[in-house]
Every structure is written in C-alpha cells, then in structure tokens.
Amino acid sequence: MAAPNATEHAAKRRKTRQDSGSITIGGKTISFAGYLAPSQPKKQIEASSGPKPILPSSTHEQQSNSTLKQAIDQTTKPGLPDKKGTYNKSQSTNGTGNQALLKTRRELPIWQHQDEIRTVVKRIGTDVIVIVGETGSGKSTQVPQFLYQEPWCKRHKVKLPGRQEDGYVGGMIAITQPRRVAATTLAHRVSTEAGTPLGKGRPDGLVGYSVRFDHQVPRGARIKFLTEGTLLQELLRDPYLKQYSAVVIDEIHERSLDVDLLAGFLKQILSGDKTERGGIPLKVIIMSATAEVGVIQEFFGSGATPGTEKASNVEVLRIKGRQFPVTISYEPRPVADLQDALLKKIFKIHVEEPLPGDILAFLNGQEDIEAAQRLIEEYATTLASNVPKIIAVPLYGQLSIEAQRLAFQPARSPMTRKVVLATNIAETSVTVPGVRYVVDSGKSKVKQYRPRLGMESLLAKPISKSSAVQRAGRAGREGPGKCFRLYTEEAFDAMQGSDLPEILRNDVLGAVLTMKARGIHDVLAFPLIDAPETAAIEMALLHLHFLGALNDDGTITPAGETMARFPLSAPLGAVLLAASGPEFDCVLEVIDAISCLTSGDDIFIHVQSEEGAEEVEEHRKDLQRREGDIITYLTTMQLYAAENSDRIEWCKKRKINIRNMKQALNIRRQLRGMCWKEKLFSEMPPPDPQPFTPLSPDKAEAVIKCFLRGFAMRTAMLAPDGSFVTVNGKHVVAIHPSSVMHGQKKEAIMFLEHVYTNKNYAKKVSAIQATWIAEALGR
DNA sequence: GAGCACTGC
C-alpha cells in the first residue's frame, strides 16, 4: 500500500472534505445517506431468498479455475486423494461411488436431466448433442459419470481395415478443458465422487487425466480429462480416436484455437468413413456455458464435409444454472474520463451499499490498475472516521502469487471493504470470493494478429456482450449482487455479441501445420466454425514453406512432421531442427534458450521502482550477454541448472519468476527427451548440476544463426537516423525496454516478437550481422 | 522505458 504521506497533497487538490455526511470527488458530492452504520447488523443480505449456494467444490467453475485458488483449497480439502493416489479406504469402490458426495450431486441442476441425456446420447442417429449448462449446473463433473456405464460406451473388439488381428475401439470418454488446472481438478473431483483412485497404473481407477508434464490415467480408466492441446496431439497418433466411445468438448464457448481445430476434426470423423473405427460410432457431446450455440449447431448439423455421406444430427439440451440475481445499472451518458467515473462509482458503492460485500472492478490493464489503486488509497485516507475503511487490491496475471493471494483473502480488519482491481483474469480464470458489486469499465486489452504485417497488436477495445454478462455474473456468486456498467445501455446494445474467436485473432501458422500433419491437404476446405481469411491461411502456408515444413506442392515434409510433434511454435521447431544439423551442432544450447523463451510469461520479473530496477540490474550482471536476449536466456538456464545450493534464493536475488523457471526446466527435460527420440543429438548430457562454463562467442553465433532459420523475416536494419527498419515491410521498430538490447545500436537485429502497443516494438532481440539475414533467406 | 488471458504426446 502506498504511503499516504507521499500522496497526501495530490489528494487534497482533487478532493475536499465537507463534513462526515458526504464525500466529494472531482467536483461531485456523494452523500453517505443510506449507508449502513457500523452498529447495525452486518449480515443483512444473508437472509435473502434465492437458490442456496452449492458446495464450492461441487462446480468446477468454482474449484478449478485458478492455480492459486487450487493451492489454497488443497489445504482445506481432506476428502480429496493426494497426487500419488493415496486413498481413503472408507470410501466406496463398488461402482456406486462416494455415498457422502451423492447427496451433493443429487442437488446439482443437471442431476434431473441424466435420463434425458442418456436417452438422447444413446439414440441411434444422433451423433452430436449440445448441452447448454449455465455456471454451476454441474455438467463438467456429472455428464461423463452419467454416460460411462452405457452399453454403447463399452470397448468393442472389431476388425480394423488393413489389420490381420482384431483391434479394439471405444471404452473411454474423453472430456476436454481449455486449461490444465480445470482438467486436473475435475479429474480429482470426479474420481472422489466415483470413489475410485486417480493415478498412473492403478488397476481399479475409473477416472484419469492427461495434461502436459502430468499423465495420471489408471489402467482401465473410463473417463479421461484432458486439455484440448493434449487431445489434438493424440489425434496426430490416432486420427480416429479409436480408444474413445465419446468425446466431450467442454467450455466450447471460450472458442480457443485448439477447440476450433478439434471441432473440425470431430466433424470429419463423424461424417467420414466409419470403417476406420470398425463401424463403431463416436459420440460427440459439446458443452457450452452460454446459450448462443446456434453456430455450433449449424456447424455440426449443416452440409456434409466434401466427399462424405451425410450431415450429423444435432440435439440441444438446456440446463438451468445456479446464479443469484444481479441488478444491472448503466451510465445515463457516455463517460468522458473512465478513471474518474470508476473512482466515483467505487466510493458511491462504498458509502451507499451495505457490508459485507466486496467490489470487483474490471479495468484495462496493469497501468490503469496501478493508477486507480493509488487514487483509491489517496481518497481512503480522507474518509470520515465513522465510515468503514476501504482497501484496494490489484489482480492481474503478471503479479506474483503472493500478491495475487491478497485479492482472494478477505480484508484483514473488520468493517473494511475490499476493492479488487482486476484485468479480465477475473472474468473466467479466477473467482474472487466475497464479491457482491461489480464495476465494469467495458473495455479490455486484446491481442490481435495482423497476418499481412506479420505482427500483433495489443490494444484496449470494447468488450463483447457475453463478456459484459460474464463480468456482471461475478457479482452473483454468493448472493444477490449489483453490477455497475460505466457505459450507457446504448453502448451495451452496440457491443458485438461475443468475442472474436481466437482462430480469427491469432497467427494460424500452427493451426495450418497441425492440419497438414493430420493429412489435410486442402486446408482451405477444412471445416471450421469460423474460417480465417484466405489471405491469413495463404501467408501461413508460405511461412511454413519457408520454414521447410512444406514441399513446393504443399505436402508436408518429414521436417514438418517433426515440427508438428514438438510442443513449440513452428518457427521454434525449425530453429531446433536447424540446430541439429552438422553446420551448427548446438541442439542442447538451443533447447536451453527455447525452454526459457516458452515457459509462459517472461522469467524475468519487471521491477517498477527505479532503485529496485538498479539493484536487480546489478544482480543480473552474470546473466546478461551483449549478444542479446536469446543468449541471455540461454546463460540464465545454464547458470540456474548449475546452481547446486539454493535455486529459490538464486531466483529471488535476480528477480526471476521461480514458477516460470521451474517450468522452463520442465520444458527443457521434455525437449531433451523428444530430441533424443528424434535423434537430433548423439550424446545425452550428464545430469545437473554441472559446472558452468560461459558460452563461447562462436557458439553464441551458431545459436543465433539457428534462430535466424526460423525468424529471418523478423529482422531489422539500423537506419542512418538511428532507428531500426524491418527488412520485411520496412516498418520502424523500437527495441522494447525489457530487452537487454534496449538503447543499443547494432548493425542489424533479429526479434522473436513484434507487438504494437503504443509503439511498434521488437521484443526478445538479438544482435546480428546483415550478411546473416541474406544467408538465412537465401538457402 | 513497458507487458489482456490461456496453452502443448
């Protein structure tokens, strides 16, 4: 919290205190009238009518959305088996499941629909069933349990084309999730409800999960939770998903790129030749939390894909959710100054609305959040003594875990209202408990790829109607709530219905490679719910050709097949393959760099204060290299791996994100394993820790030249005026301040990311020589 | 001199 002294006079300029009965912000007076005095009963709202909140752990939306929340919850859930699958013996394993939890399950809205769901899914001729279930309906945990004992869900011994002996088809239900935490916690929950253990190799387990770096699928598992990406990878090995009787696609409304690809592949399986599955049909269950499933219905139901027999039959089931009512109010006129309007609204709520009831405000990003926090703290110091205190807590993805934890904890002192200032992280990814009031700025920052420029932008844009509804819903999780929209009703009406699906916002390079690796020759004809522009796909095809993933005739090369198997972007896959060639021979070094580059957010934590930044710079001296960011990342990994006393302390000192660094080490292990299998290097390195030897300049040059094989198009030359001009497109780019190359002038640079925010920025920058670009381009 | 959110056999 900012020291009040430092900002006191600034606060006084904007705010004058009149008497204890009102507060004036920016010229507007807010009366304390109607305020619940501290002497009155605190728990006024609790007696209100409305559905009874179900157990927090019985809907996955509440239990699984946040790693942090999960971490907190895990300490308070004695009933759950631990990761190794140790299990409470008192729980039933006779197939009827955990009796104690059965009562909770029966109370879920979806419970009454189980016969209906079974009947529709069983019906011959129905291939696709769409289940619309609002938040809290229990669909994610219950639907697979309703279905796995059905006769059609058995494993079938069948004759498969091109095989002498009989093969097996079906027996398992796959259920996909967009996020790892959701997949793992749902699996834990469902295995507990079923009363069977979770864990690799367990013979008696019914439920399992499979996510990157973590596969816990018991032998004989019938229900398997996985991330969408994992199922896509399985599709590369098993194009007809022969191990599954049904695939449940959950949270399709989020429209991730992976889910759109999955939908396309499923449509092809449904409308294609069943002989590859020995005549056993695949049931597809699509689940959405939003009612707008018209496009989904249309997609699976309409026109057979080219060269196939028929369109699928689609049935839609709608299930009520459990949500308290939320009153929505709008601004009468468009607001001129969003920050100002936000502040007024927050204090208006604070003085007019009863406690308890925290406020959740949705803002654009870190910058706005920090500014709002400062202002709230300034005003808070001038509140009358008989008014409850107010504290502002920021919540955004880049915050440390400890800082995020504050947003989930109740205010420490009594009679204090907490205001959580959040990005759209609080819209779907995490649930902040205790919220009764939502303030919605109506905007969020969106990343959008511009295929023709080969760059992306990150700009604040109006949110969609469904986002606005989702934000408002956050006020009704624990009781009736209120949502204050800082925009007019007309502005709401003018918002687009839903967010642009990721496939229309992202580079489709990886998507096109996935299709090619799955044998889709004509990618323009691949069935997609929303097809990207033809130009975007053509750019991706050209790019893949440049990377060596496609032949001149558009068919995939062996290198392309390998790249598709790597858990990396196509350019990074190309870099890895280049590194394995005799010319460069630096696979292990490139893996070290790539591991750090791809471990989620930046491993280097950004320090705001100037003094802090200087201190960190001092401690990071041993990591930083003048060759640029790639070699700096590489050195960081090597020093971290060489560290044999205290890695956590080592990270703390250098302000390195410990979680991301651990993840980087994980990725390094996975990539080493995969490259070993692909025979990309000949000798397994000795185990860590090994003594550190700085990378020689020659080796550094080789590593950077490997990266040029993937990123030759992302290069810029120094212009006479000192700016950098991109080789491809001739745009002026500035080196991002997060780069070790920031403020330096080199003959030419290569950058791995190109983002437009308030400037055209090159990120992850390395110094190169102009002749290297020609070399990489002219192969 | 600055970063919405996720994710991969």
Side-chain angles (χ1 to χ4, degrees), chain A residues 115 324 370 439 468 477 521 548 602 625 671 744:
Chain A
D115 291 336
F324 293 93
E370 283 167 358
V439 182
R477 301 296 296 243
H521 187 64
D602 205 341
R625 294 268 304 220
L671 289 178
Q744 294 194 45

Side-chain angles (χ1 to χ4, degrees), chain A residues 118-119 121-123 146-157 169-173 222 245-246 280-281 283:
Chain A
R118 283 199 197 99
T119 309
V121 177
K122 181 166 63 192
R123 195 178 298 154
F146 295 160
L147 298 177
Y148 79 94
Q149 284 169 321
E150 293 288 288
W152 56 262
C153 208
K154 278 213 263 307
R155 193 161 84 131
H156 298 269
K157 195 174 184 182
V169 171
M172 206 165 19
I173 297 177
R222 307 293 308 279
S245 295
I280 309 295
K283 301 280 188 186

Side-chain angles (χ1 to χ4, degrees), chain A residues 707-777:
Chain A
F707 274 85
L708 265 175
R709 292 294 177 86
F711 295 88
M713 263 107 91
R714 294 211 190 284
T715 49
M717 306 278 288
L718 188 66
D721 66 353
S723 65
F724 286 99
V725 178
T726 60
V727 170
N728 183 32
K730 307 281 177 242
H731 303 289
V732 173
V733 285
I735 298 177
H736 195 271
S738 63
S739 171
V740 296
M741 299 291 297
H742 180 68
Q744 294 194 45
K745 304 250 177 285
K746 292 283 155 95
E747 159 185 355
I749 54 167
M750 166 180 65
F751 44 93
L752 308 187
E753 286 171 23
H754 189 187
V755 186
Y756 178 82
T757 49
N758 51 27
K759 236 189 197 176
N760 211 346
Y761 281 114
K763 299 174 86 173
K764 317 237 165 109
V765 183
S766 295
I768 56 167
Q769 288 170 28
T771 53
W772 299 357
I773 305 174
E775 259 172 58
L777 285 171

Side-chain angles (χ1 to χ4, degrees), chain A residues 543 546-548 563 568-594 597 630-631 634 680 695 697-715 750-752 766-769 772-773 775-777 779:
Chain A
H543 195 171
F546 166 76
L547 295 173
M563 284 156 64
L568 296 173
S569 70
L572 286 176
V575 171
L576 207 45
L577 287 175
S580 69
E583 189 187 345
F584 299 119
D585 186 32
C586 54
V587 174
L588 290 171
E589 288 81 1
V590 163
I591 287 176
D592 285 350
I594 288 178
L597 285 165
I630 291 172
I631 306 300
L634 194 167
L680 297 190
L695 196 72
D698 283 353
K699 207 71 174 173
E701 186 176 318
V703 168
I704 289 171
K705 282 181 170 174
C706 290
F707 274 85
L708 265 175
R709 292 294 177 86
F711 295 88
M713 263 107 91
R714 294 211 190 284
T715 49
M750 166 180 65
F751 44 93
L752 308 187
S766 295
I768 56 167
Q769 288 170 28
W772 299 357
I773 305 174
E775 259 172 58
L777 285 171
R779 277 178 300 127

